[in-house]
Amino acid sequence: MRYLMRIILLSLCIAVTACSPPPNPQLENYDYRQGYRFGNCSAGENSDELFIALSFSGGGTRAAAFSYGVLKALHEMEVTYSGKQIRLLDEVDLISSVSGGSFTAAYYGLYGNRIFTDFEDRFLKRNIQGDLALRTFAYPWNWFKLMSPNFSRIDLAADYYDEKLFNHQTYEVLEKNCRRPFIVINATDLSLGIRFEFTQSQFDLLQSDLTGVSLGRAVAASSAFPGLLAPLTMKNYEKTDFVEPLWVDTAIRFDMDITPRRYKPAREVRSYFDTVNRPYVHLIDGGVSDNMGLRGIIHSSAYPDVLISGDQKYVMDSREFNLQRMIADRKIKKLLIIIVDAKPGEDVHLDRSRKTPGLVSVMNAVASAPMANYSFETVQLIRGSLRQIEFAYRKDPEPFQFKTYMLHLRFDKIADAAVRKNIKELGTNFHLPDKAVDALIDQGAALLRESDVFKNKFLKDLNN
């Protein structure tokens, strides 16, 4: 018995000390020409003149299936543009996602059109929630791992996603095969409450090499809902050859009341250079800071140069995604933004009873209601921003044919009342009945095809 206990204790020590996941690797040499950046990805036959950006919201399997339905419709849709036949999905330039939508985005980014052959079986119709619970409670070796202060349920989830979905692939694969669409997986910096994206420009601020980070860890961070999963921890390294962007000091030296929209981002960027107080960065669900995956697109349409190094040549030769610069350079003539919004709508079921809501109900309401209101404001912000851009170029001394189109695909636009009600009542977990998944896929495709803006404006304008 004594020997058995020694073996068990030895196994426990090995498990606890060896299971810590490797941190995100340090970036040895900063080079804006390297890394997973929008400007480093080949456009191929994808034309910048027709620029299509997709945003996938959060919402568990519900969001993943809904966004997959939109992708599938774009894949099946062929149109004539500039005298040649194209598949609309091949013209998508950017996909920005959070939480549940990040699984669809990352899977398509890694496997391309293979998503239409196996994504439903490998993810959408799989009991992900049950599998994760099984790994947590049924496998004793995972109990030992979870005893480590450097290993938690988020690491368990990341390992599972790497094994079952992404074949342990890292961003090195996306960089080597860099092509449109550019995939932006969004999480939230817990301490700052701001958007944190899995791109090399963001990881430059950590002096870290994104190519060593797995896709499983990216989607785990993006979907780490507070309370259900622990934050994902990233190492913030001492900066060597990456220097603070020029605009940061300028923005901070001016009073916040003068340049508020640049002052706050500048303070946030500078915080990553303070490795004494921030040697680590903790990431949670991207929906906390932007449940629509739209903030990055909005930001790129407002600021010419953001996460760019202080050397002036880097400003001139920036490889970062920036809509404002592309439009100013007359590269984009038609801009289509499709927002895939899996938010179920207002939940007022608590108000049907006089009974005081319990703690869980209150916490759910406190978490979801502000997120929904913030998402509404985000959509209105991008809508107004697009109108201003289009109007500005109509009044330009040298006007050019530039048009913007925005589709907001959401559940309350589903025509069939019964289907709409059933879909709105679906939960945000990672296990849905097969029929529900099929309905979400069908409705995502149908809402795109039947959109008035899409049918009667965008498609008609393609050859004008």
Side-chain angles (χ1 to χ4, degrees):
M1 186 67 180
R2 189 187 314 164
Y3 294 108
L4 179 60
M5 288 301 298
R6 287 179 180 175
I7 292 173
I8 293 174
L9 288 173
L10 179 61
S11 299
L12 173 60
C13 291
I14 293 172
V16 170
T17 57
C19 69
S20 301
N24 48 304
Q26 186 171 8
L27 184 66
E28 293 183 5
N29 298 298
Y30 168 72
D31 187 345
Y32 70 96
R33 296 164 298 186
Q34 302 296 322
Y36 190 62
R37 308 174 195 271
F38 179 80
N40 291 338
C41 291
S42 170
E45 296 185 4
N46 185 314
S47 169
D48 278 343
E49 288 188 359
L50 172 58
F51 196 96
I52 301 177
L54 311 179
S55 74
F56 295 163
S57 81
T61 298
R62 184 183 70 204
F66 194 48
S67 56
Y68 172 72
V70 174
L71 276 188
K72 194 173 182 181
L74 291 170
H75 173 67
E76 295 168 352
M77 200 173 300
E78 292 189 357
V79 298
T80 301
Y81 179 66
S82 294
K84 64 179 182 179
Q85 201 77 0
I86 61 169
R87 196 188 302 272
L88 269 184
L89 184 56
D90 295 335
E91 280 294 326
V92 173
D93 298 274
L94 176 85
I95 301 177
S96 177
S97 64
V98 294
S99 199
S102 290
F103 289 90
T104 308
Y107 202 90
Y108 181 65
L110 179 62
Y111 298 117
N113 289 338
R114 171 181 155 180
I115 193 173
F116 304 114
T117 63
D118 61 7
F119 187 58
E120 291 184 43
D121 291 332
R122 294 188 72 189
F123 181 76
L124 295 180
K125 295 182 178 178
R126 190 182 187 115
N127 186 353
I128 303 295
Q129 202 162 285
D131 286 354
L132 288 175
L134 184 66
R135 289 198 169 205
T136 303
F137 300 110
Y139 299 161
W141 51 88
N142 284 332
W143 305 346
F144 296 152
K145 286 184 178 181
L146 291 170
M147 292 179 186
S148 168
N150 298 318
F151 193 93
S152 66
R153 287 172 294 160
I154 190 68
D155 299 299
L156 206 63
D159 290 347
Y160 173 83
Y161 302 147
D162 277 328
E163 177 187 335
K164 298 297 183 182
L165 292 175
F166 303 112
N167 197 29
H168 299 283
Q169 298 294 339
T170 70
Y171 272 87
E172 183 178 11
V173 176
L174 293 191
E175 182 199 21
K176 286 183 176 178
N177 305 315
C178 207
R179 55 176 172 76
R180 306 278 182 91
F182 186 66
I183 308 297
V184 182
I185 305 297
N186 295 283
T188 298
D189 181 320
L190 175 62
S191 295
L192 302 183
I194 61 171
R195 189 177 63 88
F196 183 101
E197 63 181 37
F198 280 77
T199 62
Q200 186 54 53
S201 62
Q202 180 79 64
F203 274 68
D204 288 339
L205 292 176
L206 305 181
Q207 191 73 39
S208 179
D209 186 357
L210 179 62
T211 61
V213 178
S214 73
L215 289 169
R217 292 182 75 76
V219 297
S222 183
S223 57
F225 193 80
L228 296 180
L229 289 172
L232 186 75
T233 300
M234 291 285 175
K235 174 69 176 172
N236 185 21
Y237 295 96
E238 191 74 34
K239 307 304 175 286
T240 55
D241 54 353
F242 181 75
V243 299
E244 185 179 88
L246 285 173
W247 65 271
V248 171
D249 185 63
T250 303
I252 291 176
R253 281 191 291 108
F254 283 100
D255 189 79
M256 182 178 178
D257 292 332
I258 299 174
T259 58
R261 287 195 174 274
R262 293 184 70 83
Y263 177 85
K264 186 175 183 296
R267 292 301 297 257
E268 292 162 355
V269 168
R270 180 165 285 182
S271 75
Y272 292 106
F273 286 81
D274 183 7
T275 54
V276 173
N277 291 307
R278 301 197 75 197
Y280 297 95
V281 174
H282 304 287
L283 306 178
I284 58 173
D285 194 301
V288 174
S289 57
D290 172 20
N291 200 40
M292 305 300 294
L294 271 175
R295 286 278 161 174
I297 298 174
I298 294 172
H299 204 78
S300 75
S301 67
Y303 306 116
D305 299 292
V306 184
L307 303 181
I308 300 169
S309 183
D311 192 320
Q312 191 65 29
K313 71 177 182 180
Y314 294 156
V315 175
M316 300 302 294
D317 299 328
S318 171
R319 306 296 177 93
E320 316 305 336
F321 168 65
N322 195 287
L323 271 179
Q324 186 188 80
R325 191 184 305 114
M326 293 181 73
I327 296 170
D329 291 342
R330 305 298 201 261
K331 290 182 178 180
I332 301 175
K333 290 186 177 179
K334 289 179 172 59
L335 172 62
L336 170 64
I337 296 178
I338 302 177
I339 304 167
V340 187
D341 182 1
K343 181 174 65 69
E346 293 75 15
D347 185 0
V348 295
H349 77 278
L350 295 176
D351 299 329
R352 297 173 189 155
S353 171
R354 187 181 182 279
K355 182 180 177 181
T356 302
L359 178 62
V360 174
S361 297
V362 171
M363 291 299 293
N364 285 336
V366 168
S368 59
M371 192 182 295
N373 293 333
Y374 184 67
S375 296
F376 175 81
E377 295 298 332
T378 298
V379 173
Q380 300 315 306
L381 186 60
I382 187 66
R383 194 187 300 275
S385 178
L386 292 181
R387 287 173 180 165
Q388 288 178 6
I389 293 172
E390 188 171 347
F391 180 77
Y393 281 99
R394 284 178 185 170
K395 297 293 184 180
D396 194 276
E398 298 179 6
F400 74 113
Q401 294 298 316
F402 173 70
K403 290 188 177 181
T404 64
Y405 313 84
M406 193 182 89
L407 311 182
H408 185 190
L409 309 181
R410 56 189 190 272
F411 295 155
D412 59 11
K413 287 191 173 183
I414 297 174
D416 188 301
V419 174
R420 182 172 65 248
K421 179 177 182 296
N422 289 336
I423 285 181
K424 280 189 169 187
E425 291 177 350
L426 294 173
T428 57
N429 53 41
F430 283 102
H431 180 220
L432 293 176
D434 289 358
K435 286 186 177 180
V437 170
D438 290 336
L440 286 159
I441 295 171
D442 291 344
Q443 291 304 317
L447 287 176
L448 173 67
R449 294 192 185 101
E450 297 304 315
S451 165
D452 180 64
V453 172
F454 186 73
K455 283 193 311 181
N456 299 321
K457 294 181 181 178
F458 173 71
L459 290 181
K460 287 185 177 180
D461 288 348
L462 272 185
N463 288 298
N464 295 330

